[in-house]
Amino acid sequence: MSDLQNTQDDVKAENRIFPPPAEFAAKAAISGMDAYHALCKEAEQDYEGFWGRLAKENLTWHKPFESVLNESNVPFYRWFEDGLLNASYNCLDVNLQNGNAEKVALIFEADDGTVTKVTYRELHAKVCQFANGLKSLGIVKGDRVVIYMPMSVEGVVAMQACARIGATHSVVFGGFSAKSLQERIVDVGAVAVITADEQVRGGKHLPLKSIVDEAIAMGDCEKVRNVVIYRRTGGQIGFTAGRDLWMHELVANQAADCEPEWVDAEHPLFILYTSGSTGKPKGVQHSTGGYLLWAKLTMKWTFDIKPDDVFWCTADIGWVTGHSYIAYGPLAMGATEIVFEGVPTYPNAGRFWSMIEKHKATIFYTAPTAIRSLIKASDADPAVHPLKYDISSLRLLGSVGEPINPEAWMWYHRNVGQERCPIVDTFWQTETGGHMMTPLPGATPLVPGSCTLPLPGIMAAIVDETGNDLPNGQGGILVVKRPWPSMIRTIWGDPERFKKSYFPEEFGGKLYLAGDGAIRNKDTAYFTITGRIDDVLNVSGHRMGTMEIESALVANPLVAEAAVVGKPDDTTGEAICAFVVLKGARPTGDEAKKIATELRNWVAKEIGPIAKPKEIRFGDNLPKTRSGKIMRRLLRVLAKGEAITQDVSTLENPAILEQLKQAQ
Ligand code: PRX
């Protein structure tokens, strides 16, 4: 196994400790472990008092709240429910009032390197004009708007404009297929879609608007009255008169001021779809007040953001990381942030480092998968090694989305952090709204591969199958014992699924189940995430349900049956491996290759290119118990290329294992 592989045993045995640099700690928002423990204690002693204080201090309320937490309808918790506020007001107007008007909010770098800077005053005006434009289309508070856009100033503007008028946005990642987009448009009941003509990534123009057209043409999208198009490339697009409008024309005559729509703290700011263990993605619904509080506070606590920082989160606005740490958190803090349109490997794999040098980025937040691929790239071509660039502006690094293996951590520490930047390994989820467990850079001694400890106020624990606490050193199920302000409120349109997925009765209905396994170190009590305990895969930090991919495969007319499992991968963390039974004879040789390619492209069409299986193996059947249940456990072993040592006596057809082992 290569040393880039994720090996959880290595993480558990990891004993290197990196205390926070004294100079960093001296200036940090939370300086030293005593300060951390004091906040934890405050939360333990007076939970509501703690959150109430933070919500008052950090957000600007149009009408202050009296009620901090309403627990009368568990698990449908309500935070700050009688308070009124507006997220866009908190991100923009507040900055105009407190002296940040001329400060650069966004440094946008396009795929080709063109840079556009937008001040808070300019961003405010753009958001207000677009908000007025949306209002002119009849979009009102409570309406849902789908955003299918590239990384752009306009993407952030679109999200903020929805927030300004109280419309709930649902951003769909620009890599999703027409079918995935259509499902989301239908499920959320969107009245409008905001998109671009095309997106530009790695020098290539990729369609967006034509995919929207295709999605709407699939049917059931009657509620969509308008499609608003940002002109990014000027590429050819179809135009449906009466429905389609150009963004620049819509805003042309709009006032640069728009009174915000004051909403309850519980008003849904956004719905973001993510994968679960069934075939149907879940619309994770987030609130306005609690969500924004945590997006802002974690910028302070985890990223220790200061007025002169240049913050760069490399995520896409289509994922939750791009919501909390691009569209909302940094702006709520009045920070300057980089928004990047392109990919880390174009025009070469030194792109991140050259951008850090150019913009003097001070805080850099990316995913382990990107780090691992850049390690490989700089091994292959020393010219793109980070230390070939002047990245001395960096003072803090972050990691998100998947476990970071200690080897990648050490490389990041030495070569990007120059052995002086703390690394915050932030564990969280679409459902949690913001960081849950992470080191605090001026307080927590770091251990490679561990997300260390919960943030103050986050009551994380590890329990067994019956919900009882497990001692440190024993792996189990990660739960959160108390509600927290930025938690998921419900699954859009499916409150029963919300309850069952996250607050199952087996655990008493009050423990939040993250869906991950974890273990705490015996000595430090630090947490290490051991991976998902459900049928969810994490490929390059992208979350995908095995069932979704299976449903896509069996929708192909050639396919009789399919089972999808994850297998460890050097670069992407996990890779998708599909075992497929065709309706016709089992293909071999070139025919197998041809059909595998066909099926991979099919999945790209059904879900999106990120869901393409890396490997497809064909069999006459799948390993099943006598009752017909597919033994995925065995498929996982086969996918890894390991020998099966488990008892297979309950299998209906043990001979199939040999066939699937060889069918590569
Ligand atoms: O398995 C955990 C993993 O990513 C899952 C959440 O995925 P998603 O909702 O797409 O959000 C990703 C961005 C927050 C988790 O259940 N995960 C996320 N961060 C980490 C992680 N696993 C280990 N360490 C992390 N820092």
Side-chain angles (χ1 to χ4, degrees):
M1 229 183 228
S2 123
D3 61 358
L4 291 185
Q5 196 80 55
N6 260 327
T7 54
Q8 290 299 340
D9 289 343
D10 289 354
V11 178
K12 280 176 231 160
E14 179 64 59
N15 54 18
R16 284 171 286 200
I17 294 195
F18 298 83
E23 206 189 319
F24 195 108
K27 295 185 203 146
I30 300 182
S31 179
M33 286 307 271
D34 287 350
Y36 164 73
H37 288 305
L39 283 165
C40 293
K41 199 164 157 205
E42 184 191 343
E44 272 153 33
Q45 286 176 344
D46 178 8
Y47 200 63
E48 290 195 27
F50 170 79
W51 288 115
R53 171 177 78 76
L54 292 169
K56 277 191 194 120
E57 284 173 9
N58 287 281
L59 297 180
T60 302
W61 296 86
H62 185 66
K63 173 178 168 269
F65 56 88
E66 298 279 327
S67 158
V68 173
L69 172 62
N70 178 344
E71 298 187 79
S72 61
N73 185 19
V74 174
F76 300 93
Y77 299 97
R78 299 177 67 80
W79 286 90
F80 320 120
E81 63 178 339
D82 54 346
L84 287 178
L85 79 169
N86 180 283
S88 158
Y89 182 90
N90 271 274
C91 293
L92 302 171
D93 305 56
V94 166
N95 283 303
L96 301 195
Q97 292 150 20
N98 67 12
N100 281 338
E102 306 315 324
K103 183 174 176 178
V104 172
L106 307 180
I107 302 175
F108 173 70
E109 180 160 323
D111 190 66
D112 68 0
T114 310
V115 174
T116 314
K117 294 188 178 173
V118 183
T119 64
Y120 273 92
R121 188 188 302 287
E122 289 162 344
L123 187 60
H124 175 266
K126 280 177 190 288
V127 168
C128 286
Q129 283 182 316
F130 195 47
N132 285 328
L134 294 177
K135 281 211 280 198
S136 76
L137 299 177
I139 298 175
V140 295
K141 176 177 159 189
D143 281 345
R144 275 85 56 209
V145 173
V146 162
I147 297 178
Y148 186 64
M149 292 189 83
M151 287 297 290
S152 51
V153 169
E154 288 70 13
V156 175
V157 167
M159 293 166 82
Q160 285 279 342
C162 287
R164 192 155 193 100
I165 63 170
T168 300
H169 60 68
S170 186
V171 184
V172 178
F173 174 59
F176 275 119
S177 67
K179 180 138 186 281
S180 295
L181 176 62
Q182 184 253 6
E183 282 166 6
R184 287 156 175 75
I185 292 172
V186 174
D187 192 77
V188 88
V191 298
V193 179
I194 306 170
T195 190
D197 48 1
E198 296 180 313
Q199 58 179 331
V200 188
R201 287 169 69 80
K204 292 194 202 104
H205 288 200
L206 304 164
L208 284 175
K209 168 63 165 57
S210 66
I211 296 176
V212 174
D213 291 342
E214 210 184 311
I216 294 176
M218 286 175 175
D220 298 326
C221 296
E222 294 75 21
K223 287 198 181 131
V224 176
R225 295 191 304 262
N226 293 106
V227 175
V228 182
I229 314 147
Y230 156 53
R231 182 180 274 159
R232 168 64 187 90
T233 63
Q236 273 296 314
I237 55 162
F239 209 87
T240 302
R243 184 196 73 181
D244 296 352
L245 309 113
W246 288 108
M247 190 171 181
H248 59 269
E249 289 179 2
L250 180 66
V251 300
N253 297 314
Q254 300 295 347
D257 245 321
C258 172
E259 173 71 10
E261 182 76 37
W262 304 109
V263 299
D264 308 340
E266 281 297 318
H267 181 73
L269 179 61
F270 67 88
I271 294 160
L272 184 59
Y273 284 83
T274 190
S275 297
S277 43
T278 75
K280 194 173 174 283
K282 314 186 254 202
V284 173
Q285 180 179 319
H286 276 288
S287 69
T288 301
Y291 170 80
L292 193 66
L293 170 64
W294 205 224
K296 180 172 181 183
L297 205 53
T298 46
M299 285 300 300
K300 257 192 209 173
W301 286 357
T302 313
F303 293 123
D304 188 47
I305 192 96
K306 301 270 194 291
D308 49 3
D309 271 317
V310 176
F311 179 79
W312 185 12
C313 165
T314 68
D316 192 285
I317 52 167
W319 309 115
V320 75
T321 311
H323 282 59
S324 303
Y325 301 109
I326 295 178
Y328 291 106
L331 300 177
M333 278 305 299
T336 296
E337 62 170 325
I338 297 172
V339 175
F340 177 42
E341 178 179 45
V343 297
T345 48
Y346 179 83
N348 60 47
R351 183 67 183 264
F352 277 176
W353 325 129
S354 79
M355 282 181 60
I356 290 169
E357 176 177 302
K358 176 152 77 172
H359 302 299
K360 303 208 167 18
T362 57
I363 306 176
F364 180 64
Y365 188 39
T366 196
T369 192
I371 298 166
R372 287 190 296 263
S373 72
L374 296 176
I375 295 175
K376 282 192 177 172
S378 64
D379 281 350
D381 175 8
V384 296
H385 193 280
L387 293 175
K388 288 272 156 40
Y389 299 78
D390 178 5
I391 53 171
S392 56
S393 55
L394 288 172
R395 68 180 196 93
L396 176 60
L397 304 177
S399 169
V400 59
E402 44 176 331
I404 179 162
N405 45 307
E407 296 313 317
W409 194 101
M410 286 306 299
W411 185 92
Y412 198 31
H413 170 68
R414 288 197 186 111
N415 300 298
V416 186
Q418 306 135 89
E419 300 193 15
R420 59 174 178 77
C421 302
I423 299 178
V424 288
D425 174 1
T426 60
F427 167 82
W428 60 297
Q429 311 175 294
T430 305
E431 293 88 341
T432 68
H435 304 152
M436 297 298 276
M437 297 201 279
T438 171
L440 295 170
T444 320
L446 308 173
V447 169
S450 168
C451 58
T452 73
L453 296 167
L455 285 169
I458 302 298
M459 306 303 185
I462 298 178
V463 300
D464 65 14
E465 305 281 332
T466 53
N468 291 314
D469 283 315
L470 284 173
N472 292 352
Q474 212 169 316
I477 298 165
L478 178 65
V479 295
V480 186
K481 292 190 162 181
R482 297 284 286 131
W484 68 100
S486 67
M487 68 194 292
I488 172 176
R489 292 307 194 262
T490 188
I491 292 176
W492 177 258
D494 202 347
E496 273 312 305
R497 191 175 174 197
F498 165 72
K499 275 201 211 170
K500 277 206 199 106
S501 308
Y502 303 109
F503 294 92
E505 278 310 322
E506 305 91 274
F507 291 82
K510 279 184 132 183
L511 293 181
Y512 169 82
L513 205 71
D516 284 286
I519 185 167
R520 298 185 77 163
N521 183 284
K522 269 200 181 125
D523 306 320
T524 57
Y526 278 8
F527 286 78
T528 291
I529 304 296
T530 52
R532 298 287 305 191
I533 50 173
D534 52 11
D535 295 320
V536 169
L537 302 182
N538 195 324
V539 182
S540 298
H542 297 149
R543 181 165 154 185
M544 256 163 304
T546 52
M547 292 273 285
E548 274 172 80
I549 306 168
E550 287 167 11
S551 314
L553 283 167
V554 295
N556 184 289
L558 295 177
V559 176
E561 218 178 351
V564 167
V565 297
K567 68 174 212 176
D569 186 277
D570 273 3
T571 309
T572 57
E574 262 185 308
I576 301 166
C577 181
F579 294 86
V580 173
V581 181
L582 296 185
K583 286 179 186 154
R586 177 168 69 94
T588 52
D590 284 349
E591 204 204 342
K593 280 197 189 121
K594 188 178 136 256
I595 299 181
T597 307
E598 211 175 298
L599 292 181
R600 293 176 78 244
N601 293 337
W602 171 271
V603 174
K605 267 296 233 187
E606 288 281 299
I607 304 175
I610 52 170
K612 272 186 180 181
K614 181 163 184 186
E615 190 180 328
I616 297 186
R617 297 193 198 180
F618 297 101
D620 291 324
N621 206 334
L622 297 171
K624 288 182 191 150
T625 60
R626 294 204 174 89
S627 59
K629 195 168 169 305
I630 298 172
M631 298 278 280
R632 283 163 208 281
R633 196 162 43 80
L634 298 177
L635 291 176
R636 268 181 226 120
V637 179
L638 287 179
K640 274 196 211 161
E642 290 175 359
I644 292 184
T645 52
Q646 290 100 326
D647 177 18
V648 295
S649 58
T650 55
L651 273 192
E652 166 86 42
N653 50 351
I656 199 69
L657 295 175
E658 200 47 40
Q659 189 186 68
L660 291 171
K661 192 166 138 197
Q662 284 160 5
Q664 305 213 28

